[in-house]
Amino acid sequence: MTAETTATATTRFAPAGDPSLLLPATVACGVFMTSLDQNVIVTALPGIGESLGRPPSQLGLLITVYVASLIVTMPLGGWLADRFGLRNVYCFALLVFASASALCGLSENIWMLVGSRALQGFGGALMGTLGQVVILSSFPRDRTLRINMYISLAGQSGPLVGPLVGGALTTYVSWRWIFYINIPIALTAALLAASLFPTTTKPVRTPFDFPGFLLVGGGMALLVFGMDSLAAKDAAASIIGVELGLAIAILTVAAFYCLRTRNPLLDLNLLRIRTFRISFLTGGGLDTIGLSSVVFLLPLMFQLGFGMSAVQAGSLTFVAAIGSLLMRFFMPRILNRFGFKRVLIVNTPIAALLVAGFALMQESTPTWIVLAYIFAFGLFRSVQWASTGNLAYSDIAPEQLSRFSALYYILWQLAVAISVGLAAAMLSLLAGGGQASVNDYRLLFVVEGLITLCALLAYFRLTPQDGAHVSGHGGHISTD
């Protein structure tokens, strides 16, 4: 399918008339809530533990079960949207998220809270996968780049404000309000979605792929919990090995099954689309693993290696999110001017060098230099992820959007989980099972930089015309 054909098809499938800008604002609300709830609970764990009579060290499940529920549920989004209609399923997801948030706030014991967090993840997964489908099916491709950039600001804001909101509400009101604040946002978004989102005039009545769901869901859950145990070092090596071994075996069987069965829940045939495969699997997967590791390693090096407090480390790493947010405003014009291939070929070595450059930091490095460096890392990381994320959908046909969105977000979440798990495993190996030294962190940053650089091999396979109908490069569209 050519770029021009894709753009024309998308326009034809879009609703008549000019969609309201409240539509992307509604999607942004869902993205913000999903991202916020992944991060807001971290600083609230001590308050939750005190209230429920559990030490914070036993509350990591509240984070893991949310992420696991997100990943397991994501493949359902495409089938549910085709079967019951995009608008209906999105509104349902918002109502589920609001109800789950209320149950989280009302929880009187740890297991009720764990179950409610899993239900939150279910609603959040549907919002995450279907929100992009709504945008891509409502607007022509020559407008989606700028719209997606602004929506991504909502996702980037979650890690930025989550710990601050969680800490403030837990300290001055109650930890229960970190969940209650979702309710009015979700209900308002549901009302807007009911009136603004496109309707499906002809549902696709494909049978539900139950064997595929069990294989994909089971393998994903085992991989997430295995990587979490690897990062937390809270289980025996043999148990972690069994979890990860089973996960890989089940996911391998799931991959063969999805490639061979008719109407699979997870459409791996989308990887035959060259721009999607290059931008996210062979390229974006590698640089996502390398770049995401910094979020895990840098605070540890600051605290355990340099002796900083959690507040000091957080106030330094915080500026990476600010850099990411600011760069999003400039990305449409950068991609319009230079195109996806040139941006990725130039930016990938810079991003890799910045990751490896963290190895040069010393305890005596002036604070302003550390802040400036982390800010620059946030800028170039944002360039990388914004480029691969928008190139990934450039050649996806309208009828493939729901399946693409499910596969895209699953691969993204898995890349992040693998990044943290691998970084933790390599750190433990370098430390020999004891306390990691500053030199161990430095060596690991160099390794992660090399992993990021390997993505460059995939980006050389792009052509200057790839994604031009999305970016406007070469005069296809105007970004004004």
Side-chain angles (χ1 to χ4, degrees), residues 18-308:
D18 190 21
S20 169
L21 290 180
L22 283 175
L23 191 150
T26 304
V27 173
C29 285
V31 171
F32 175 74
M33 286 189 296
T34 304
S35 176
L36 180 69
D37 272 64
Q38 277 187 270
N39 298 276
V40 73
I41 197 170
V42 176
T43 50
L45 288 180
I48 294 174
E50 182 179 355
S51 174
L52 301 182
R54 295 292 183 108
S57 59
Q58 296 181 8
L59 300 179
L61 186 60
L62 296 177
I63 300 173
T64 307
V65 75
Y66 182 82
V67 176
S69 180
L70 278 175
I71 293 179
V72 170
T73 305
M74 280 175 177
L76 293 174
W79 181 83
L80 289 172
D82 290 340
R83 179 65 179 82
F84 299 105
L86 185 59
R87 182 174 66 181
N88 294 335
V89 177
Y90 197 88
C91 290
F92 170 73
L94 285 164
L95 294 176
V96 168
F97 196 84
S99 301
S101 297
L103 290 174
C104 285
L106 294 171
S107 296
E108 295 297 333
N109 59 71
I110 184 63
W111 297 114
M112 181 178 177
L113 187 54
V114 167
S116 301
R117 284 286 285 174
L119 189 60
Q120 260 194 327
F122 174 80
L126 296 181
M127 289 190 292
T129 54
L130 298 182
Q132 189 175 45
V133 179
V134 171
I135 298 301
L136 296 180
S137 61
S138 301
F139 295 91
R141 296 289 166 93
D142 59 2
R143 294 183 62 190
T144 54
L145 175 62
R146 186 176 295 276
I147 291 172
N148 278 335
M149 290 297 178
Y150 289 120
I151 290 177
S152 69
L153 293 176
Q156 292 282 334
S157 298
L160 189 66
V161 306
L164 300 177
V165 170
L169 288 175
T170 302
T171 301
Y172 299 111
V173 188
S174 167
W175 63 266
R176 300 179 187 278
W177 280 93
I178 68 174
F179 302 112
Y180 290 151
I181 59 173
N182 291 320
I183 299 173
I185 301 174
L187 293 179
T188 301
L191 291 174
L192 290 172
S195 60
L196 297 173
F197 280 19
T199 57
T200 302
T201 56
K202 194 174 183 181
V204 180
R205 298 184 179 276
T206 55
F208 179 67
D209 180 18
F210 190 71
F213 176 71
L214 290 179
L215 286 170
V216 173
M220 297 288 184
L222 278 172
L223 186 60
V224 170
F225 282 106
M227 285 296 179
D228 181 73
S229 297
L230 193 63
K233 302 175 186 176
D234 59 357
S238 58
I239 296 176
I240 297 174
V242 170
E243 285 182 336
L244 294 178
L246 277 175
I248 293 172
I250 293 172
L251 289 176
T252 301
V253 173
F256 281 107
Y257 171 85
C258 290
L259 286 170
R260 293 176 178 273
T261 193
R262 186 179 180 182
N263 299 317
L265 189 66
L266 206 59
D267 188 3
L268 296 182
N269 286 305
L270 291 174
L271 295 173
R272 300 180 188 274
I273 299 173
R274 187 175 56 87
T275 48
F276 177 42
R277 185 175 65 251
I278 291 175
S279 66
F280 201 80
L281 188 60
T282 56
L286 289 172
D287 55 35
T288 298
I289 289 173
L291 294 171
S292 296
S293 67
V294 174
V295 179
F296 170 72
L297 293 172
L298 195 59
L300 289 180
M301 186 176 75
F302 283 163
Q303 294 178 69
L304 303 181
F306 294 171
M308 295 183 184

Side-chain angles (χ1 to χ4, degrees), residues 382-423:
S382 183
V383 172
Q384 196 76 9
W385 284 347
S387 300
T388 56
N390 284 278
L391 179 61
Y393 69 77
S394 61
D395 291 325
I396 302 295
E399 64 272 14
Q400 297 173 312
L401 287 175
S402 59
R403 288 172 286 156
F404 155 77
S405 188
L407 183 59
Y408 176 90
Y409 281 103
I410 282 175
L411 290 176
W412 171 263
Q413 292 284 354
L414 282 181
V416 174
I418 290 171
S419 171
V420 175
L422 283 179

